[in-house]
Amino acid sequence: MRLIDALFACTLENPPWVSFLEAMEQYIPCHHATLVLRKPRSGDPGVLVTLEGHADAIVALQERVFEASPFLELPEGEVCILSRMMSEAELADRHPGYYEYLHTYGQVTDLIGLDLAEPVTGMIFRLRGARREGEPRFGEREQKILEALAPRLRTAFAIYARFAHQQYQLSVLDDAAEQLAVGCLVLSQDGRVLLKNAVADRWLAQQDGFRLWNGVVRCLDPQSERLLRTTLAAAAASEGPGDAARSFRIRRGGERHWSVLVRPYGVRAALGEKTASAVLLLVRDADQKPEVSAGVLVELFGLTRAEAVLAARLTNGESLTEAAQSLDISRYTARAQLSAVFAKTDTHRQPQLVSHILNTVNSVWA
């Protein structure tokens, strides 16, 4: 029961899975309990979760030993035991590098493992445990424990995988907003902040034209404050996210302004029962020309990194010859990359490409 409790509780921990691995080592029992979230590959150390004290063994596995391991890829959903797959003599003969690794790090004589695939995200979870010299090999008892645990492991892995996938998507969107210098906030009808990205957080802290007051966004200029309240109320009263966006400006110091786009945003279960309506605010510096960077163009048009770097230089005013020289590539290579950019952006000439990129970058405010 403690093992099952730890399994689901650990998905909320930071880092996750540690308490489950601790419980697994005690209940199975075993040593070196490890969860592989992404297997090592050449040039990629992968992502492995293990307990403190195993760092040297994990580094060695990530750097070189994974290539020699007969226990890295197991049949999906099947509990496997190394000593049942091959004898110690066979392991030493067929996989001498891996055999030496097991005995160098912890005098390991047996392994137990289970691989489970999560179909929605494509993640594969690889759970491993070890027995040391002088301890009995894994047997039917340990196999039955993991087999009985497998359905719950699938559920816990699915919860974690889908949450991690959503977090990754959010991080990509947040990075794009950072590069485009767009502050994103989700507000309740009265202006209370429900969600915000890092750009908005930074601008609120500067208190340049607007700020947080008891968790509510307030404009420092009275006219801008009235506009904000009126626009929030109108957006909150709209039918839903498909309704037209509203835009206005927030006065800052001097003659500067923030451009604000307001859209109705559907209330989600995650916002809680007290939130009757929600509004999305997109904020940018009205006086700042949007920066066209390679990262932005990769996100917007699906360009390769090399194509995006070239397109960004052209958009920022360089000629094709100047861009080729500054990137230390031949004009032939630059023209080939430009042709690929034309195809991906559905443009045919350089001025048309530049105009299309600038219009697309600005279209978030259309």
Side-chain angles (χ1 to χ4, degrees), residues 12 21-22 24 27 40 50 93 108-109 163 179 193 214 218 233 250 256-257 261 271 279 292 308 324 340-341 361:
L12 301 176
L21 295 177
E22 290 174 342
M24 175 179 165
Y27 189 76
T50 190
D93 181 58
V108 172
T109 57
F163 177 74
Q179 293 184 53
V193 176
N214 292 330
R218 297 287 186 186
I250 294 176
R256 299 174 303 146
H257 296 82
L261 188 74
L271 297 180
V279 176
V292 179
V341 173
V361 170

Side-chain angles (χ1 to χ4, degrees), residues 16 41 46 75 83 120 168 172 210 232 242 246 284 287 298 321 330 350:
R41 297 179 177 86
S83 59
V120 174
Y168 177 75
V172 170
F210 63 103
L232 287 178
R246 297 165 173 82
R284 74 173 176 93
D287 306 305
V298 169
T321 300
S330 69
Q350 192 171 320

Side-chain angles (χ1 to χ4, degrees), residues 158-181:
I159 292 171
Y160 171 82
R162 296 176 197 187
F163 177 74
H165 187 68
Q166 287 185 335
Q167 290 298 105
Y168 177 75
Q169 289 178 315
L170 289 173
S171 71
V172 170
L173 294 175
D174 217 25
D175 287 345
E178 180 77 39
Q179 293 184 53
L180 290 166

Side-chain angles (χ1 to χ4, degrees), residues 25 30-34 50 53-54 57 105-108 128-130 132:
E25 287 198 353
C30 65
H31 304 282
H32 304 293
T34 301
T50 190
H54 304 165
Y105 295 98
Q107 295 294 309
V108 172
R128 302 291 186 268
R132 293 173 177 165

Side-chain angles (χ1 to χ4, degrees), residues 113-162:
L114 174 64
D115 288 7
L116 295 174
E118 202 291 304
V120 174
T121 62
M123 291 183 68
I124 299 177
F125 294 80
R126 299 171 172 88
L127 184 63
R128 302 291 186 268
R131 287 272 170 88
R132 293 173 177 165
E133 189 172 317
E135 297 175 341
R137 301 290 194 266
F138 290 111
E140 186 175 351
R141 174 188 174 274
E142 294 80 19
Q143 180 179 350
K144 287 184 176 180
I145 290 174
L146 285 188
E147 287 175 345
L149 192 62
R152 294 175 175 86
L153 280 168
R154 283 192 188 277
T155 302
F157 288 160
I159 292 171
Y160 171 82
R162 296 176 197 187

Side-chain angles (χ1 to χ4, degrees), residues 168-238:
Y168 177 75
Q169 289 178 315
L170 289 173
S171 71
V172 170
L173 294 175
D174 217 25
D175 287 345
E178 180 77 39
Q179 293 184 53
L180 290 166
V182 177
C184 305
L185 304 99
V186 177
L187 307 181
S188 62
Q189 181 177 347
D190 60 0
R192 181 169 49 90
V193 176
L194 305 174
L195 298 168
K196 61 183 183 297
N197 72 347
V199 177
D201 201 30
R202 185 168 64 248
W203 288 346
L204 284 166
Q206 293 172 0
Q207 299 190 20
D208 183 11
F210 63 103
R211 64 170 181 166
L212 273 184
W213 179 260
N214 292 330
V216 175
V217 174
R218 297 287 186 186
C219 297
L220 304 185
D221 172 63
Q223 183 178 358
S224 299
E225 173 67 11
R226 288 193 295 272
L227 272 173
L228 175 62
R229 297 300 135 201
T230 302
T231 307
L232 287 178
S238 299

